[in-house]
Amino acid sequence: MKNESICCINNDFSIDKLKNLIFDKYGVNAPLCYLHSYGCQQNVTDGEKLKNLISKIGYDFTDNEDKASLIILNTCAVRENAEDRVFGKIGEYKKLKEKNSDKIVCICGCMAQQKHIAERIKQSYHQVDLVFGTFAFNQFYEMLYEVLKTKNRVFNTTEQQSDISENFKQLRDDKIKASVPIMYGCNNFCTYCIVPYVRGRERSRTEEAVFDEVSDLVKEGYKEITLLGQNVNSYGYGFPKLLRKLNTIDGDFRIRFMSSHPKDATPELIDTILECDKVCKHLHLPMQSGCNRILKEMNRRYTIEDYAEIIDYARSRKPDFSFSSDIIVGFPGETYEEFCKTKEAVKKFKFDNIYSFVYSKRSGTKAALMEDNISDKQKGLWLRELLLEHREVTVSWLSRFVGKTLRVLADREGRTSENHIQGRCNENIIVEFIGDKNLIGSFVNVKINKAMNWALLGEIV
Ligand code: SAH
Ligand code: SF4
Ligand code: F3S
C-alpha cells in the first residue's frame, strides 16, 4: 500500500531538484504530458497556466494519453454530467496504469476542490496519483515533486485562498484569440451553483496588469481578447473604466468579455460598450429564468423587469443590440407554468444565442436541499420545448443582418463545404462564407445573404 499525503510536505523541494529528478527519470528525450481542460474559459485559462509551468520543467505535450508520462485532467464541477465524464475517463486510465505503472495521473480543477470528490478518488480510483483543487494551484511543482520522488499519492484540497499571482503566465494554443482573466472567484452564491465553493471569493487583477497583458497580446498579433470573470461587472477597479482604458490600446483587435451578472449591469456599461470602438456590441447576460419567484429562489437578486430594463435600454440606443443568455430549466420546485415564463422571456428578448441546461443538483449548495419533484426526463422535455421556442425566434431575428456587411474575424474551416471558412462577427454570431483558408486569422468584410438557425451565410465583399 502506497503512502498518502494530504499535502506537499516535502521540505527539501526546489525547482532545480524537480528538473533534475525529471531529467534523471526520463533522460534527454523530453517526457510527454497530456493535459485536458473541461468547463468554462476560466478553467481553460488555468490549464494554459499549468501548461506553461509544465513546459518550464522539461515536458513536451501530446494529444495521446497512451504516450504521456503525465496525464492531467483539469476538471469542471458545474453540472453532474461534467463530473461523470471525468470519472469515465479516470476509469479508462486504470488499464493505462496497469500497462505502465510509472505513468502519473493527476486530477485538478473545480471538481478536485470538493472534498467528497477527492475522497472518492482516494478510495476507489487508485490509478490517480495527484489530486489538487483550484486553491492549491500555486503549489503544483511541490506536489509533482512529491509524487515523482516518493511515489506517494498526494491529495490537496486546501481552502486557504492565496492572493493573485502575476507569476503564472498562460501558454496559449490559439494564435488568433486570447482569454485574459481580470478577476477570479465569485461572491454571489446563486443557490444552484458550485462555483463560489470551488473558486473562492472575488479577487481582481490590477488595471495595470490587465492593460499590460492585453497590450502585449495585441503586439504579438492577437486579434480578439476576451476578458474573463464570473461576474466582470463587479471587477474591483470599475469595469467600464477598464474597458475604456483597454480601448485606447493601438492596433487592429477587438475586445469581448464574459460573464455579466444582470444585477450589476448598468446603463453605464451599455454606454461604454457603444462608445468604445474596439468593444464588441454584444452582451452575454445570463437570465437563468423568466419567473420572479424562481429568480428569488435562485438568489439572483434581480427581477425579470430589471432584466428587461437593461435590454430595453441597450436596444433604445442600438435597436439590433445583440444579447446571449444562460438558462436553467427545472430548478427545484419550478412548475410548468413557471417554466413557461422563461419560454415567454426567450421569445420576448430575442437572444442571438442561448446556452440552456437542465438543473443539476450540486451537493453543498442551498438548492440541493430544496424539494424537487420533477423528473430529469420531464425537465429534458421542457428543455427541448425551450430550444424549439428559441429556434423559432432566431432565424427571423438573425435576419436583421441580411443585406448588411459585417466585419468577421475568420477563425476556422467552414461547416457546409470544403471551400468555406467561418468566423464570428462583432455580435458573436457565426458567419460562414466562401473563402481561402489563409484568411483564417484576419478580419474580413462579409455581406450577409441568409440567416440560418446556427449561423449567418454570406460572401466576402
Ligand atoms: N458566472 C456566470 C456563470 C458561470 S456557470 C454567470 O453567473 O453568468 C455557467 C452557467 O452554468 C450558468 O450561467 C448557469 O446557467 C449554469 N449552471 C450553473 N450551475 C448549474 C447547475 N447546478 N445546474 C444547471 N446549470 C447550472
Ligand atoms: Fe455561479 Fe451565480 Fe457566481 Fe455565476 S454569479 S458563478 S451562476 S454563483
Ligand atoms: Fe468553470 Fe466549471 Fe469551474 S464552469 S469555474 S470549470 S465549475
Side-chain angles (χ1 to χ4, degrees):
M1 177 83 188
K2 283 182 186 175
N3 282 323
E4 282 168 7
S5 50
I6 295 305
C7 178
C8 32
I9 35 159
N10 220 308
N11 45 23
D12 85 323
F13 163 80
S14 76
I15 293 185
D16 283 334
K17 283 185 184 165
L18 173 61
K19 282 185 189 162
N20 289 339
L21 191 63
I22 291 167
F23 187 82
D24 290 346
K25 202 168 156 79
Y26 301 104
V28 283
N29 293 327
L32 298 177
C33 168
Y34 170 91
L35 185 149
H36 183 77
S37 292
Y38 297 80
C40 64
Q41 287 191 58
Q42 268 102 326
N43 210 42
V44 172
T45 299
D46 282 355
E48 291 178 342
K49 288 182 182 170
L50 263 184
K51 271 193 152 175
N52 197 13
L53 289 177
I54 290 161
S55 76
K56 279 190 182 151
I57 50 172
Y59 284 86
D60 277 340
F61 295 94
T62 173
D63 291 333
N64 185 335
E65 290 133 295
D66 241 328
K67 292 188 181 147
S69 305
L70 174 61
I71 295 181
I72 301 184
L73 301 184
N74 181 28
T75 61
C76 169
V78 81
R79 282 171 293 274
E80 195 175 8
N81 55 12
E83 296 193 337
D84 289 346
R85 248 184 298 154
V86 170
F87 276 115
K89 265 281 168 209
I90 300 177
E92 289 173 25
Y93 295 154
K94 191 166 184 206
K95 280 215 179 82
L96 287 186
K97 189 88 180 186
E98 279 164 7
K99 265 201 299 191
N100 176 2
S101 64
D102 254 0
K103 221 183 244 307
I104 290 168
V105 178
C106 164
I107 309 297
C108 64
C110 293
M111 240 175 109
Q113 185 62 44
Q114 303 171 93
K115 288 202 159 50
H116 69 97
I117 297 281
E119 195 54 37
R120 180 169 158 199
I121 296 174
K122 192 187 227 171
Q123 299 305 334
S124 315
Y125 297 87
H126 288 267
Q127 59 273 42
V128 178
D129 304 281
L130 171 57
V131 175
F132 67 95
T134 59
F135 289 47
F137 183 86
N138 53 1
Q139 298 160 31
F140 174 70
Y141 280 156
E142 288 92 325
M143 295 182 287
L144 183 65
Y145 183 70
E146 168 85 8
V147 172
L148 284 169
K149 185 161 179 187
T150 64
K151 298 212 161 171
N152 289 347
R153 300 176 80 201
V154 171
F155 295 84
N156 189 340
T157 53
T158 176
E159 284 169 355
Q160 191 101 37
Q161 186 164 304
S162 54
D163 291 336
I164 292 182
S165 166
E166 290 298 336
N167 294 332
F168 299 110
K169 303 279 175 240
Q170 290 155 246
L171 189 69
R172 295 182 165 90
D173 290 328
D174 198 316
K175 296 287 170 247
I176 309 168
K177 302 177 180 186
S179 302
V180 175
I182 62 167
M183 57 191 300
Y184 302 92
C186 180
N187 291 352
N188 292 316
F189 289 94
C190 302
T191 53
Y192 51 82
C193 185
I194 196 72
V195 172
Y197 301 90
V198 293
R199 289 271 164 182
R201 297 294 68 72
E202 280 176 7
R203 287 144 290 155
S204 296
R205 291 176 74 192
T206 64
E207 235 181 48
E208 292 67 38
V210 176
F211 184 87
D212 290 348
E213 184 171 4
V214 174
S215 303
D216 287 347
L217 290 166
V218 172
K219 272 189 213 125
E220 281 173 46
Y222 282 92
K223 293 282 184 280
E224 182 175 299
I225 307 294
T226 303
L227 309 173
L228 297 179
Q230 293 301 343
N231 173 15
V232 291
N233 301 329
S234 59
Y235 173 68
Y237 308 98
F239 186 59
K241 190 164 139 251
L242 178 72
L243 283 180
R244 287 188 192 276
K245 188 162 177 185
L246 297 177
N247 195 58
T248 64
I249 296 173
D250 276 335
D252 191 16
F253 72 102
R254 62 190 187 188
I255 303 168
R256 297 193 185 285
F257 57 86
M258 68 185 297
S259 283
S260 280
H261 196 303
K263 79 176 166 61
D264 303 312
T266 56
E268 190 197 355
L269 175 68
I270 303 287
D271 293 345
T272 307
I273 296 173
L274 291 174
E275 286 158 25
C276 294
D277 60 318
K278 294 199 164 74
V279 176
C280 290
K281 311 305 176 230
H282 161 247
L283 190 57
H284 181 65
L285 197 66
M287 176 178 86
Q288 311 300 1
S289 164
C291 165
N292 282 336
R293 190 189 77 82
I294 297 296
L295 287 171
K296 189 148 201 284
E297 290 289 302
M298 288 176 161
N299 190 32
R300 289 291 284 178
R301 288 179 270 185
Y302 54 85
T303 61
I304 201 62
E305 291 77 21
D306 299 331
Y307 188 88
E309 247 178 58
I310 311 163
I311 299 213
D312 290 347
Y313 179 74
R315 292 201 175 135
S316 73
R317 291 212 51 196
K318 188 179 188 301
D320 66 352
F321 199 104
S322 167
F323 284 92
S324 57
S325 201
D326 291 352
I327 287 161
I328 295 177
V329 169
F331 185 81
E334 185 172 36
T335 63
Y336 183 70
E337 288 67 34
E338 289 171 325
F339 159 71
C340 286
K341 292 189 178 166
T342 301
K343 242 177 29 173
E344 279 162 32
V346 163
K347 192 168 174 181
K348 179 169 153 207
F349 296 140
K350 300 195 182 74
F351 300 112
D352 282 318
N353 218 334
I354 58 170
Y355 303 87
S356 46
F357 314 98
V358 167
Y359 166 77
S360 171
K361 182 174 172 175
R362 305 287 66 210
S363 95
T365 62
K366 271 198 175 159
L369 305 172
M370 298 176 186
E371 205 176 328
D372 192 356
N373 298 318
I374 310 285
S375 70
D376 277 353
K377 190 171 167 218
Q378 189 59 49
K379 291 177 184 184
L381 294 174
W382 292 3
L383 183 74
R384 212 168 65 188
E385 235 180 86
L386 180 75
L387 289 171
L388 288 175
E389 183 73 57
H390 178 242
R391 216 172 224 226
E392 238 168 73
V393 285
T394 3
V395 179
S396 67
W397 177 236
L398 287 183
S399 298
R400 71 193 187 280
F401 295 112
V402 171
K404 291 192 178 160
T405 297
L406 303 179
R407 194 148 186 265
V408 175
L409 176 59
D411 61 7
R412 68 192 62 200
E413 294 183 12
R415 175 166 133 179
T416 47
S417 92
E418 273 273 306
N419 60 354
H420 282 65
I421 57 172
Q422 249 185 29
R424 285 184 185 252
C425 60
N426 204 300
E427 290 77 7
N428 206 25
I429 302 159
I430 297 172
V431 179
E432 174 138 332
F433 49 97
I434 296 175
D436 199 284
K437 300 205 180 3
N438 63 29
L439 286 173
I440 291 174
S442 33
F443 286 107
V444 277
N445 289 322
V446 180
K447 186 171 173 226
I448 305 305
N449 300 325
K450 193 175 176 185
M452 312 283 280
N453 59 36
W454 61 278
L456 297 167
L457 305 184
E459 57 189 297
I460 299 182
V461 290

